[in-house]
Amino acid sequence: MFVHNLRLGAKSLRRNPVLTALMIMSIGIGVAASMITYAVFRAVSGNPIPQKSSVLFVPQIDNWGPTYNRAGEPPPALNYTDAMALMKAKKAERQTVFFPISASVISTTTERLPFKVRGYATFGDFFPMFEVPFLYGSGWSHESDDAHEAVAVISKELNKKLFDGANSVGKDIQLDDGTYRIVGVTDTYDPKPRFFDMFNSDGYTDPAQVYVPFHHMMDLKVDTWGNNTCGGGPNRGNDYQSWLRGECVWLAAWVELPTKADEDAYRSWLRGYAEEQQRSGRFGWAPNVRLRNVVDWLDYRHAVPPESRIALTIAVSFLIICLVNTVGLLLAKFMRRAPEIGVRRALGASRAEIYKQFLAEAGMVGLSGGVLGLILTGAGMFGTGLVFGKEIAKLAQLDFSLVLLTLVVAVLSTLIAAFYPTWRAAQVQPAWQLKSN
């Protein structure tokens, strides 16, 4: 019976090709607009580290006070004084602070001209905390941190550029005027959004190519390549040492707290630290601290671009308009077949069979609209860069799940749109139709 209904539907669709084409185009365009914007939204709103997002936290300490902070929120990063206090306390299972660096790489094995790389000055806990994958070697140890060693971890891409992809662990790399011993080569590591560095970027920039120990960079008085925010406060520092003692924030901080008890204990310690600063006279206000996990942090930093939410809302609204238009077209098409329906009902067809016949026809329209929507979605992916940033646009992918979702949305939405026209068709009175014809 189902096949019979499909044959009747196909015959009906061929009978009115213009009307059929209009319905398919309406569904296809509406679904494609929704799927393109959904692909972007899906890419930027996902959890970048779901397996650890509940145990990684950003500690925040209000060192600016109510005069300079924003809406009572502590600064999104730490100054040097608070960051070093956090690291020395070692109250978390793992902890790290870091700042972006930029250095010139001077190749000692090829005649390549020096070129710039971006990276981070950080602590050894950075790598296990954020589950950075390694192709060769590993991150450096706590002993290397304490000894201020000149070691480095480089990316897979930089390793390929300098050493043709061979294992470079134990070899040297020259960054600016310093020579560093390579202890690890990372595999591809580019979580999006880059949750751990939302202070210095929008989370969608190119990944780091080199990592070096924090203390060694401080010995060299390397300045941050990222943000340095003073919040209007007076204590900025006029030279390097006074800047370190100042209240400008420029260090991103993370701690790993495996259990709820660890989280509560760390929050208590954080508040106690702020109270201690208040008692010492550094803070002239009540303790104001925060401890946010990955999900809360991304929400607080607005990791999902507002334009993606707006675009998705507009696209879904456009799909609804297309469906309303499809309702009108289906209603006109179905009601033109009232005499045919009357004859079928007079020959014994039940209302349920009328429902099955017309919903099958609507399903064929929806499937055809879905195929057209897939083609338009694939073409539309090339244009996402015109609306969103290039870093965000390239994240949108037409994968198998999106293909399946496009077809399901097209068919289901068309069936929903067809319900009212089908109900009207099933209400046709056979006696009246036979009399009028």
Side-chain angles (χ1 to χ4, degrees), residues 301-437:
R301 296 296 293 173
H302 304 295
V304 178
E307 57 266 33
S308 68
R309 295 182 189 274
I310 296 171
L312 182 61
T313 302
I314 293 174
V316 172
S317 301
F318 181 65
L319 174 61
I320 293 174
I321 293 172
C322 291
L323 291 176
V324 171
N325 183 50
T326 303
V327 170
L329 294 172
L330 285 171
L331 186 61
K333 181 177 175 60
F334 288 176
M335 295 315 295
R336 285 175 61 183
R337 295 164 61 189
E340 173 192 330
I341 298 169
V343 171
R344 284 205 65 192
R345 294 278 287 125
L347 292 176
S350 64
R351 284 190 173 130
E353 290 172 330
I354 299 298
Y355 270 106
K356 293 175 183 175
Q357 176 187 341
F358 285 89
L359 286 178
E361 185 174 334
M364 294 176 69
V365 172
L367 185 60
S368 302
V371 173
L372 176 63
L374 273 179
I375 297 171
L376 295 177
T377 300
M381 288 294 182
F382 295 102
T384 52
L386 300 176
V387 180
F388 306 97
K390 290 182 179 178
E391 294 81 6
I392 295 176
K394 68 183 181 184
L395 299 177
Q397 301 289 333
L398 182 60
D399 53 17
F400 176 75
S401 63
L402 191 64
V403 169
L404 189 61
L405 183 64
T406 301
L407 295 176
V408 169
V409 168
V411 173
L412 283 181
S413 59
T414 308
L415 289 176
I416 293 172
F419 184 79
Y420 176 68
T422 304
W423 177 80
R424 287 287 304 274
Q427 302 307 310
V428 169
Q429 297 298 321
W432 190 88
Q433 290 296 328
L434 292 175
K435 283 182 182 178
S436 62
N437 291 283

Side-chain angles (χ1 to χ4, degrees), residues 242-279:
S242 61
W243 174 60
L244 293 183
R245 294 191 298 271
E247 299 298 347
C248 297
V249 300
W250 52 284
L251 292 167
W254 284 86
V255 294
E256 182 173 340
L257 307 168
T259 67
K260 185 66 169 61
D262 293 336
E263 178 187 342
D264 293 340
Y266 197 89
R267 186 174 279 107
S268 177
W269 175 82
L270 207 58
R271 184 175 179 80
Y273 172 78
E275 289 173 344
E276 184 181 316
Q277 300 303 305
Q278 183 187 21
R279 286 194 296 272

Side-chain angles (χ1 to χ4, degrees), residues 163-179:
F163 303 103
D164 294 327
N167 186 352
S168 59
V169 172
K171 296 182 179 179
D172 292 338
I173 180 173
Q174 189 168 350
L175 301 174
D176 290 334
D177 296 328
T179 300

